[in-house]
Amino acid sequence: MTKTVLISGAGIAGPTLGYWLGAAGFETTLIEKAPSLRSGGYVIDFWGHGYDLAERMELLPAINHAGYRIKELCVVDDGGDKAAGFGTNVFHELTGGRYVTLPRSELSRLLYEKVAQSSEVLFGTEILGLDQDQGGVSVQLSRGGPRRFDLVIGADGLHSRVRELAFGPIRQFERQLGYTVAAFEAAGYRPRNEDVYVMYGQPGRMLGRVSLRDDRTLFLFVFAGTPEPFPQNREAQKALIRQRYADAKWEVPALLSELDRAEDLYFDRVSQIWMPNWSQGRIALVGDAAFCVSLLAGQGSALAMISAYVLAGEIAKAGEAHQPAFAAYEHLLRDFVRGKQEAARRFAGAFAPRTRWGLAFRNFVINAFAIPGLARWAIGHDITDRLALPQYSWRQTAGKAKRSSAQ
Ligand SMILES: Cc1cc2nc3c(=O)[nH]c(=O)nc-3n(C[C@H](O)[C@H](O)[C@H](O)COP(=O)(O)OP(=O)(O)OC[C@H]3O[C@@H](n4cnc5c(N)ncnc54)[C@H](O)[C@@H]3O)c2cc1C
């Protein structure tokens, strides 16, 4: 019987996997490169089977408490006047009210709290080397030296180190969608629009503003192009954003001043990961590490949770043999995930149109969503998860068995 599992990455997929493997009686070690859970970042829309799984993990009250019910998408012009928009009630109608917007870091924290008592946890730790044989995987950790596990799972996101070590460099699997994304939060910004997603767009660049609790505001920048070399340090990233938005209007000068002061900046390429297979011997990948769908799918967190749940369930079902478990995991999810990736690629051009015509057409479509029934018809297909979430039998109440926990 497989007993010990190393999970790399305490984002969304990692803690979810730890929780369900714990429910199946496995010993898990969760490592995270960052010194503590990542805070800040951006907000995510959360629904579908991710929401269903959160319910099974008894997290819904906390998620809804941490979340927001965005009521309107409002596109503004250079002067801040409304150019297009629609009420987002349609999302709540289509999901039966099971739809919430919340900071990714909050979802990550809530998932982590579910697993922190039952898993060994090591922050500030990453994998330096992996060497697998018939009996297990020898792992060199950056802290704590060599360890041996029955299985190693990479839940370490788009730039996964486990993927790089076990499958090869990211360039083999990354499909860039041609955009760069940045996000940061600021305190005390004015104006505020409660429960409204305010969006400003010019050809090839968009900006989103969301008012959060505690007088905080989230800003999201998405612009066309992924410069080579891609800026790695904070100041170079800020400089690129300033350059790309230098002549933009609306509130942009004020936003760029906030950017200057921002200490925490999320900045990355908008990319997907397409892999021919998600496992290699005793090593497998979940979430963005395996199949990043990108922000344009609006469902990467839910998919990260679904993949973690299915992988844990299949490992539990297969017992000693990990290969059938990995094969079943992939078989169950591959087509479903591919559908989400393809939908995101179709949506890419509409998110930050590159021409004035494209922008005008996008605004036309957004306004048309206000016509009763049209939004339901247009997005109903993509918003529904066409996958029956498998039922597995778990041995124990997850998250109950106490393990040693280290910081
Ligand atoms: C701007 C933006 C908007 C988005 N909007 C939505 C949305 O509306 N809805 C939605 O569902 N999804 C959305 N997503 C996608 C979603 O955030 C991701 O798909 C999701 O976070 C993936 O979870 P994950 O656990 O696989 O990876 P991550 O959340 O990226 O977590 C990976 C973890 O691994 C850690 N790590 C990295 N490298 C190492 C290493 N070498 N060793 C150890 N640990 C490591 C990281 O620090 C991190 O904690 C959005 C993404 C972006 C960028």
Side-chain angles (χ1 to χ4, degrees), residues 238-287:
K238 287 184 177 181
L240 180 66
I241 298 171
R242 273 196 296 272
Q243 181 226 323
R244 293 303 309 268
Y245 288 81
D247 60 342
K249 299 192 168 56
W250 183 52
E251 300 167 10
V252 174
L255 295 192
L256 293 179
S257 301
E258 295 291 350
L259 174 70
D260 288 341
R261 290 189 283 273
E263 286 172 11
D264 201 7
L265 177 70
Y266 174 86
F267 189 93
D268 210 341
R269 301 185 287 264
V270 179
S271 291
Q272 294 184 334
I273 294 293
W274 290 60
M275 300 189 69
N277 47 288
W278 298 340
S279 68
Q280 186 85 268
R282 291 177 170 272
I283 301 166
L285 303 172
V286 279

CSV table of all heavy atoms in Angstrom, one decimal, residues 238-287:
chain,number,residue,atom,x,y,z
A,238,LYS,N,7.4,46.9,-13.2
A,238,LYS,CA,6.6,48.2,-13.1
A,238,LYS,C,7.0,49.1,-14.2
A,238,LYS,O,6.1,49.8,-14.7
A,238,LYS,CB,7.0,48.9,-11.7
A,238,LYS,CG,6.4,48.2,-10.5
A,238,LYS,CD,6.8,49.0,-9.3
A,238,LYS,CE,6.1,48.3,-8.0
A,238,LYS,NZ,6.4,49.1,-6.8
A,239,ALA,N,8.2,49.2,-14.6
A,239,ALA,CA,8.6,50.1,-15.7
A,239,ALA,C,7.9,49.7,-17.0
A,239,ALA,O,7.5,50.6,-17.7
A,239,ALA,CB,10.1,50.0,-15.9
A,240,LEU,N,7.8,48.4,-17.2
A,240,LEU,CA,7.1,48.0,-18.4
A,240,LEU,C,5.6,48.4,-18.4
A,240,LEU,O,5.0,48.9,-19.4
A,240,LEU,CB,7.2,46.5,-18.6
A,240,LEU,CG,6.5,45.9,-19.9
A,240,LEU,CD1,7.2,46.4,-21.1
A,240,LEU,CD2,6.5,44.4,-19.8
A,241,ILE,N,4.9,48.2,-17.3
A,241,ILE,CA,3.5,48.6,-17.2
A,241,ILE,C,3.4,50.1,-17.4
A,241,ILE,O,2.5,50.6,-18.1
A,241,ILE,CB,3.0,48.2,-15.8
A,241,ILE,CG1,3.0,46.7,-15.6
A,241,ILE,CG2,1.5,48.7,-15.6
A,241,ILE,CD1,2.7,46.3,-14.1
A,242,ARG,N,4.3,50.9,-16.7
A,242,ARG,CA,4.2,52.3,-16.9
A,242,ARG,C,4.4,52.7,-18.3
A,242,ARG,O,3.6,53.6,-18.9
A,242,ARG,CB,5.3,53.0,-16.1
A,242,ARG,CG,4.9,53.3,-14.6
A,242,ARG,CD,5.9,54.3,-14.0
A,242,ARG,NE,7.2,53.7,-13.9
A,242,ARG,CZ,7.7,53.0,-12.8
A,242,ARG,NH1,6.9,52.8,-11.8
A,242,ARG,NH2,8.9,52.5,-12.8
A,243,GLN,N,5.3,52.0,-19.0
A,243,GLN,CA,5.5,52.4,-20.4
A,243,GLN,C,4.3,52.0,-21.3
A,243,GLN,O,3.9,52.8,-22.1
A,243,GLN,CB,6.7,51.6,-20.9
A,243,GLN,CG,7.2,51.8,-22.3
A,243,GLN,CD,7.5,50.5,-23.0
A,243,GLN,OE1,8.0,49.6,-22.4
A,243,GLN,NE2,7.1,50.4,-24.3
A,244,ARG,N,3.7,50.8,-21.0
A,244,ARG,CA,2.6,50.4,-21.8
A,244,ARG,C,1.3,51.2,-21.6
A,244,ARG,O,0.4,51.3,-22.5
A,244,ARG,CB,2.2,48.9,-21.6
A,244,ARG,CG,3.3,47.9,-22.0
A,244,ARG,CD,3.6,48.1,-23.5
A,244,ARG,NE,2.4,48.1,-24.4
A,244,ARG,CZ,1.9,47.0,-24.9
A,244,ARG,NH1,2.5,45.8,-24.7
A,244,ARG,NH2,0.8,47.0,-25.6
A,245,TYR,N,1.2,51.8,-20.4
A,245,TYR,CA,0.0,52.6,-20.1
A,245,TYR,C,0.2,54.1,-20.0
A,245,TYR,O,-0.7,54.9,-19.6
A,245,TYR,CB,-0.6,52.1,-18.8
A,245,TYR,CG,-1.3,50.7,-18.9
A,245,TYR,CD1,-0.5,49.6,-18.9
A,245,TYR,CD2,-2.7,50.6,-19.1
A,245,TYR,CE1,-1.1,48.3,-19.0
A,245,TYR,CE2,-3.3,49.4,-19.2
A,245,TYR,CZ,-2.5,48.2,-19.2
A,245,TYR,OH,-3.1,47.0,-19.3
A,246,ALA,N,1.4,54.5,-20.5
A,246,ALA,CA,1.8,55.9,-20.3
A,246,ALA,C,0.8,56.9,-20.8
A,246,ALA,O,0.5,57.9,-20.2
A,246,ALA,CB,3.2,56.1,-20.9
A,247,ASP,N,0.2,56.7,-22.0
A,247,ASP,CA,-0.7,57.7,-22.6
A,247,ASP,C,-2.2,57.3,-22.4
A,247,ASP,O,-3.0,57.9,-23.0
A,247,ASP,CB,-0.4,57.8,-24.1
A,247,ASP,CG,-0.6,56.5,-24.8
A,247,ASP,OD1,-0.6,55.5,-24.1
A,247,ASP,OD2,-0.7,56.5,-26.0
A,248,ALA,N,-2.4,56.3,-21.5
A,248,ALA,CA,-3.8,55.9,-21.3
A,248,ALA,C,-4.5,57.0,-20.4
A,248,ALA,O,-3.9,57.7,-19.7
A,248,ALA,CB,-3.9,54.6,-20.7
A,249,LYS,N,-5.9,57.1,-20.6
A,249,LYS,CA,-6.6,58.1,-19.8
A,249,LYS,C,-7.3,57.5,-18.6
A,249,LYS,O,-6.8,56.8,-17.9
A,249,LYS,CB,-7.5,58.8,-20.8
A,249,LYS,CG,-6.7,59.5,-22.0
A,249,LYS,CD,-7.4,60.5,-22.8
A,249,LYS,CE,-6.5,61.3,-23.7
A,249,LYS,NZ,-5.7,60.5,-24.6
A,250,TRP,N,-8.6,57.9,-18.5
A,250,TRP,CA,-9.4,57.5,-17.3
A,250,TRP,C,-8.6,57.8,-16.0
A,250,TRP,O,-8.1,58.9,-15.9
A,250,TRP,CB,-9.8,56.0,-17.5
A,250,TRP,CG,-10.7,55.5,-16.4
A,250,TRP,CD1,-11.9,56.0,-16.0
A,250,TRP,CD2,-10.5,54.3,-15.6
A,250,TRP,NE1,-12.4,55.2,-15.0
A,250,TRP,CE2,-11.6,54.1,-14.7
A,250,TRP,CE3,-9.5,53.3,-15.6
A,250,TRP,CZ2,-11.7,53.1,-13.9
A,250,TRP,CZ3,-9.6,52.3,-14.7
A,250,TRP,CH2,-10.7,52.1,-13.9
A,251,GLU,N,-8.5,56.8,-15.1
A,251,GLU,CA,-7.8,57.0,-13.8
A,251,GLU,C,-6.4,56.5,-13.9
A,251,GLU,O,-5.7,56.4,-12.9
A,251,GLU,CB,-8.6,56.3,-12.7
A,251,GLU,CG,-10.0,56.7,-12.5
A,251,GLU,CD,-10.8,55.7,-11.7
A,251,GLU,OE1,-10.2,54.8,-11.0
A,251,GLU,OE2,-12.0,55.9,-11.6
A,252,VAL,N,-5.9,56.3,-15.1
A,252,VAL,CA,-4.6,55.6,-15.3
A,252,VAL,C,-3.5,56.4,-14.6
A,252,VAL,O,-2.7,55.7,-13.9
A,252,VAL,CB,-4.3,55.3,-16.7
A,252,VAL,CG1,-3.0,54.7,-16.9
A,252,VAL,CG2,-5.4,54.3,-17.3
A,253,PRO,N,-3.4,57.7,-14.7
A,253,PRO,CA,-2.2,58.3,-14.0
A,253,PRO,C,-2.2,58.1,-12.5
A,253,PRO,O,-1.2,57.8,-11.9
A,253,PRO,CB,-2.5,59.8,-14.3
A,253,PRO,CG,-3.2,59.8,-15.6
A,253,PRO,CD,-4.1,58.6,-15.6
A,254,ALA,N,-3.4,58.1,-11.9
A,254,ALA,CA,-3.5,57.8,-10.5
A,254,ALA,C,-3.2,56.4,-10.2
A,254,ALA,O,-2.5,56.1,-9.2
A,254,ALA,CB,-4.9,58.1,-10.0
A,255,LEU,N,-3.6,55.5,-11.1
A,255,LEU,CA,-3.3,54.0,-10.9
A,255,LEU,C,-1.8,53.8,-11.0
A,255,LEU,O,-1.2,53.0,-10.2
A,255,LEU,CB,-4.0,53.2,-11.9
A,255,LEU,CG,-5.5,53.2,-11.9
A,255,LEU,CD1,-6.1,52.1,-12.7
A,255,LEU,CD2,-6.0,52.9,-10.5
A,256,LEU,N,-1.1,54.5,-11.9
A,256,LEU,CA,0.3,54.3,-12.0
A,256,LEU,C,1.0,54.8,-10.8
A,256,LEU,O,2.1,54.3,-10.4
A,256,LEU,CB,0.8,54.9,-13.3
A,256,LEU,CG,0.3,54.3,-14.6
A,256,LEU,CD1,0.8,55.0,-15.8
A,256,LEU,CD2,0.6,52.8,-14.7
A,257,SER,N,0.5,55.9,-10.2
A,257,SER,CA,1.1,56.3,-8.9
A,257,SER,C,1.0,55.3,-7.8
A,257,SER,O,1.9,55.0,-7.0
A,257,SER,CB,0.4,57.6,-8.4
A,257,SER,OG,0.6,58.6,-9.4
A,258,GLU,N,-0.2,54.6,-7.8
A,258,GLU,CA,-0.4,53.5,-6.8
A,258,GLU,C,0.6,52.4,-7.1
A,258,GLU,O,1.1,51.8,-6.2
A,258,GLU,CB,-1.9,53.0,-6.9
A,258,GLU,CG,-2.9,54.0,-6.5
A,258,GLU,CD,-2.9,54.3,-5.0
A,258,GLU,OE1,-2.2,53.6,-4.2
A,258,GLU,OE2,-3.6,55.2,-4.6
A,259,LEU,N,0.8,52.1,-8.4
A,259,LEU,CA,1.7,51.0,-8.8
A,259,LEU,C,3.1,51.3,-8.3
A,259,LEU,O,3.8,50.4,-7.8
A,259,LEU,CB,1.7,50.9,-10.3
A,259,LEU,CG,2.7,49.9,-10.9
A,259,LEU,CD1,2.4,48.5,-10.6
A,259,LEU,CD2,2.9,50.1,-12.4
A,260,ASP,N,3.5,52.6,-8.4
A,260,ASP,CA,4.8,53.0,-7.9
A,260,ASP,C,5.0,52.5,-6.4
A,260,ASP,O,6.1,52.1,-6.0
A,260,ASP,CB,5.1,54.5,-8.0
A,260,ASP,CG,5.2,54.9,-9.4
A,260,ASP,OD1,5.6,54.0,-10.3
A,260,ASP,OD2,5.1,56.1,-9.7
A,261,ARG,N,3.9,52.7,-5.6
A,261,ARG,CA,4.0,52.4,-4.2
A,261,ARG,C,3.8,50.9,-3.9
A,261,ARG,O,4.0,50.5,-2.7
A,261,ARG,CB,3.0,53.2,-3.4
A,261,ARG,CG,3.3,54.7,-3.4
A,261,ARG,CD,2.4,55.4,-2.5
A,261,ARG,NE,1.0,55.6,-3.0
A,261,ARG,CZ,0.7,56.6,-3.8
A,261,ARG,NH1,1.6,57.6,-4.1
A,261,ARG,NH2,-0.5,56.7,-4.3
A,262,ALA,N,3.3,50.1,-4.9
A,262,ALA,CA,2.9,48.7,-4.5
A,262,ALA,C,4.1,47.9,-4.2
A,262,ALA,O,5.2,47.9,-4.8
A,262,ALA,CB,2.2,48.1,-5.8
A,263,GLU,N,4.0,47.1,-3.1
A,263,GLU,CA,5.1,46.3,-2.6
A,263,GLU,C,4.9,44.9,-3.1
A,263,GLU,O,5.9,44.1,-3.3
A,263,GLU,CB,5.2,46.3,-1.1
A,263,GLU,CG,5.8,47.6,-0.6
A,263,GLU,CD,5.7,47.7,0.9
A,263,GLU,OE1,5.4,46.7,1.6
A,263,GLU,OE2,5.9,48.8,1.4
A,264,ASP,N,3.7,44.5,-3.4
A,264,ASP,CA,3.4,43.1,-3.8
A,264,ASP,C,2.8,43.2,-5.2
A,264,ASP,O,1.7,43.9,-5.4
A,264,ASP,CB,2.3,42.6,-2.9
A,264,ASP,CG,2.3,41.0,-2.9
A,264,ASP,OD1,3.2,40.5,-3.6
A,264,ASP,OD2,1.4,40.5,-2.3
A,265,LEU,N,3.4,42.7,-6.2
A,265,LEU,CA,2.9,42.8,-7.6
A,265,LEU,C,2.9,41.4,-8.2
A,265,LEU,O,3.9,40.7,-8.2
A,265,LEU,CB,3.8,43.7,-8.4
A,265,LEU,CG,3.5,43.8,-9.9
A,265,LEU,CD1,2.2,44.6,-10.1
A,265,LEU,CD2,4.6,44.5,-10.7
A,266,TYR,N,1.7,41.0,-8.7
A,266,TYR,CA,1.7,39.7,-9.5
A,266,TYR,C,1.9,40.1,-10.9
A,266,TYR,O,1.3,41.0,-11.5
A,266,TYR,CB,0.3,39.1,-9.3
A,266,TYR,CG,0.1,37.9,-10.2
A,266,TYR,CD1,0.5,36.6,-9.8
A,266,TYR,CD2,-0.4,38.0,-11.5
A,266,TYR,CE1,0.4,35.5,-10.7
A,266,TYR,CE2,-0.5,36.9,-12.4
A,266,TYR,CZ,-0.1,35.7,-11.9
A,266,TYR,OH,-0.2,34.6,-12.8
A,267,PHE,N,2.8,39.4,-11.6
A,267,PHE,CA,3.2,39.7,-13.0
A,267,PHE,C,3.6,38.5,-13.7
A,267,PHE,O,4.5,37.7,-13.2
A,267,PHE,CB,4.4,40.7,-12.9
A,267,PHE,CG,4.8,41.3,-14.2
A,267,PHE,CD1,4.3,42.6,-14.6
A,267,PHE,CD2,5.6,40.7,-15.1
A,267,PHE,CE1,4.6,43.1,-15.8
A,267,PHE,CE2,6.0,41.3,-16.3
A,267,PHE,CZ,5.5,42.5,-16.6
A,268,ASP,N,3.0,38.2,-14.8
A,268,ASP,CA,3.3,36.9,-15.5
A,268,ASP,C,2.8,37.0,-17.0
A,268,ASP,O,2.0,37.8,-17.3
A,268,ASP,CB,2.7,35.7,-14.8
A,268,ASP,CG,3.5,34.4,-14.9
A,268,ASP,OD1,4.3,34.4,-15.9
A,268,ASP,OD2,3.3,33.5,-14.1
A,269,ARG,N,3.2,36.0,-17.7
A,269,ARG,CA,2.7,35.8,-19.1
A,269,ARG,C,1.3,35.2,-18.9
A,269,ARG,O,1.1,34.4,-18.0
A,269,ARG,CB,3.6,34.9,-19.9
A,269,ARG,CG,5.0,35.3,-20.1
A,269,ARG,CD,5.7,34.4,-21.0
A,269,ARG,NE,6.1,33.2,-20.4
A,269,ARG,CZ,7.2,32.9,-19.8
A,269,ARG,NH1,8.2,33.8,-19.8
A,269,ARG,NH2,7.5,31.7,-19.2
A,270,VAL,N,0.4,35.4,-19.9
A,270,VAL,CA,-0.8,34.7,-19.9
A,270,VAL,C,-0.6,33.4,-20.8
A,270,VAL,O,-0.4,33.5,-22.0
A,270,VAL,CB,-2.0,35.5,-20.5
A,270,VAL,CG1,-3.3,34.7,-20.5
A,270,VAL,CG2,-2.2,36.8,-19.7
A,271,SER,N,-0.5,32.3,-20.1
A,271,SER,CA,0.0,31.1,-20.9
A,271,SER,C,-0.9,29.9,-20.4
A,271,SER,O,-1.5,29.9,-19.4
A,271,SER,CB,1.4,30.7,-20.5
A,271,SER,OG,2.3,31.7,-21.0
A,272,GLN,N,-0.9,28.9,-21.3
A,272,GLN,CA,-1.5,27.6,-20.9
A,272,GLN,C,-0.4,26.6,-20.9
A,272,GLN,O,0.7,26.8,-21.5
A,272,GLN,CB,-2.5,27.2,-22.0
A,272,GLN,CG,-3.7,28.1,-22.0
A,272,GLN,CD,-4.8,27.7,-22.9
A,272,GLN,OE1,-4.6,27.0,-23.9
A,272,GLN,NE2,-6.1,28.1,-22.6
A,273,ILE,N,-0.6,25.4,-20.3
A,273,ILE,CA,0.3,24.3,-20.3
A,273,ILE,C,-0.4,23.1,-21.0
A,273,ILE,O,-1.5,22.7,-20.6
A,273,ILE,CB,0.7,23.9,-18.9
A,273,ILE,CG1,1.6,25.0,-18.2
A,273,ILE,CG2,1.5,22.6,-18.9
A,273,ILE,CD1,2.9,25.3,-18.9
A,274,TRP,N,0.2,22.6,-22.0
A,274,TRP,CA,-0.4,21.5,-22.7
A,274,TRP,C,0.7,20.4,-22.7
A,274,TRP,O,1.8,20.5,-23.2
A,274,TRP,CB,-0.6,21.8,-24.2
A,274,TRP,CG,-1.8,22.7,-24.4
A,274,TRP,CD1,-1.9,24.0,-23.9
A,274,TRP,CD2,-3.0,22.5,-25.1
A,274,TRP,NE1,-3.1,24.6,-24.3
A,274,TRP,CE2,-3.8,23.7,-25.1
A,274,TRP,CE3,-3.5,21.4,-25.9
A,274,TRP,CZ2,-5.0,23.8,-25.7
A,274,TRP,CZ3,-4.7,21.5,-26.5
A,274,TRP,CH2,-5.5,22.7,-26.4
A,275,MET,N,0.4,19.3,-22.0
A,275,MET,CA,1.3,18.2,-21.8
A,275,MET,C,0.8,16.9,-22.4
A,275,MET,O,-0.4,16.6,-22.3
A,275,MET,CB,1.6,17.9,-20.4
A,275,MET,CG,2.2,19.1,-19.7
A,275,MET,SD,2.8,18.7,-18.0
A,275,MET,CE,4.2,17.7,-18.4
A,276,PRO,N,1.6,16.1,-23.0
A,276,PRO,CA,1.1,14.8,-23.6
A,276,PRO,C,0.7,13.8,-22.5
A,276,PRO,O,-0.2,13.0,-22.7
A,276,PRO,CB,2.3,14.2,-24.4
A,276,PRO,CG,3.5,15.0,-23.9
A,276,PRO,CD,3.0,16.3,-23.3
A,277,ASN,N,1.3,13.9,-21.3
A,277,ASN,CA,0.8,13.1,-20.2
A,277,ASN,C,1.2,13.9,-18.9
A,277,ASN,O,2.1,14.7,-18.8
A,277,ASN,CB,1.4,11.7,-20.2
A,277,ASN,CG,2.9,11.7,-20.4
A,277,ASN,OD1,3.3,12.0,-21.6
A,277,ASN,ND2,3.7,11.5,-19.4
A,278,TRP,N,0.4,13.5,-17.8
A,278,TRP,CA,0.5,14.3,-16.6
A,278,TRP,C,1.3,13.5,-15.5
A,278,TRP,O,1.3,13.9,-14.3
A,278,TRP,CB,-0.9,14.6,-16.0
A,278,TRP,CG,-1.7,15.5,-16.9
A,278,TRP,CD1,-1.2,16.3,-17.9
A,278,TRP,CD2,-3.1,15.7,-16.9
A,278,TRP,NE1,-2.2,17.0,-18.5
A,278,TRP,CE2,-3.4,16.6,-17.9
A,278,TRP,CE3,-4.1,15.2,-16.1
A,278,TRP,CZ2,-4.7,17.0,-18.2
A,278,TRP,CZ3,-5.4,15.6,-16.4
A,278,TRP,CH2,-5.7,16.5,-17.4
A,279,SER,N,1.8,12.3,-15.9
A,279,SER,CA,2.6,11.6,-14.9
A,279,SER,C,3.8,10.9,-15.6
A,279,SER,O,3.8,10.7,-16.8
A,279,SER,CB,1.7,10.5,-14.2
A,279,SER,OG,1.3,9.5,-15.1
A,280,GLN,N,4.7,10.6,-14.7
A,280,GLN,CA,6.0,10.0,-15.2
A,280,GLN,C,6.4,9.1,-14.0
A,280,GLN,O,6.9,9.6,-13.0
A,280,GLN,CB,7.0,11.1,-15.4
A,280,GLN,CG,8.3,10.8,-16.0
A,280,GLN,CD,8.2,10.7,-17.5
A,280,GLN,OE1,7.9,9.7,-18.0
A,280,GLN,NE2,8.4,11.9,-18.2
A,281,GLY,N,6.2,7.8,-14.2
A,281,GLY,CA,6.5,6.9,-13.1
A,281,GLY,C,5.8,7.2,-11.8
A,281,GLY,O,4.5,7.1,-11.8
A,282,ARG,N,6.5,7.5,-10.7
A,282,ARG,CA,5.8,7.8,-9.4
A,282,ARG,C,5.6,9.3,-9.2
A,282,ARG,O,5.3,9.7,-8.1
A,282,ARG,CB,6.7,7.3,-8.3
A,282,ARG,CG,6.8,5.8,-8.3
A,282,ARG,CD,7.7,5.3,-7.2
A,282,ARG,NE,7.6,3.8,-7.1
A,282,ARG,CZ,6.7,3.2,-6.3
A,282,ARG,NH1,5.9,4.0,-5.5
A,282,ARG,NH2,6.6,1.9,-6.2
A,283,ILE,N,5.8,10.1,-10.3
A,283,ILE,CA,5.6,11.5,-10.2
A,283,ILE,C,4.4,12.0,-11.0
A,283,ILE,O,4.3,11.6,-12.2
A,283,ILE,CB,6.9,12.2,-10.6
A,283,ILE,CG1,8.1,11.8,-9.8
A,283,ILE,CG2,6.8,13.7,-10.6
A,283,ILE,CD1,9.4,12.1,-10.3
A,284,ALA,N,3.6,12.8,-10.5
A,284,ALA,CA,2.4,13.3,-11.3
A,284,ALA,C,2.2,14.8,-11.0
A,284,ALA,O,2.8,15.3,-10.0
A,284,ALA,CB,1.1,12.5,-10.9
A,285,LEU,N,1.4,15.4,-11.8
A,285,LEU,CA,1.2,16.9,-11.7
A,285,LEU,C,-0.3,17.1,-11.6
A,285,LEU,O,-1.1,16.4,-12.1
A,285,LEU,CB,1.7,17.6,-13.0
A,285,LEU,CG,3.2,17.4,-13.4
A,285,LEU,CD1,3.4,18.0,-14.7
A,285,LEU,CD2,4.1,18.0,-12.3
A,286,VAL,N,-0.7,18.2,-10.8
A,286,VAL,CA,-2.1,18.6,-10.7
A,286,VAL,C,-2.2,20.1,-10.9
A,286,VAL,O,-1.2,20.8,-10.8
A,286,VAL,CB,-2.7,18.3,-9.3
A,286,VAL,CG1,-3.1,16.9,-9.2
A,286,VAL,CG2,-1.8,18.7,-8.2
A,287,GLY,N,-3.4,20.6,-11.2
A,287,GLY,CA,-3.6,22.0,-11.3
A,287,GLY,C,-2.8,22.7,-12.5
A,287,GLY,O,-2.5,22.0,-13.5
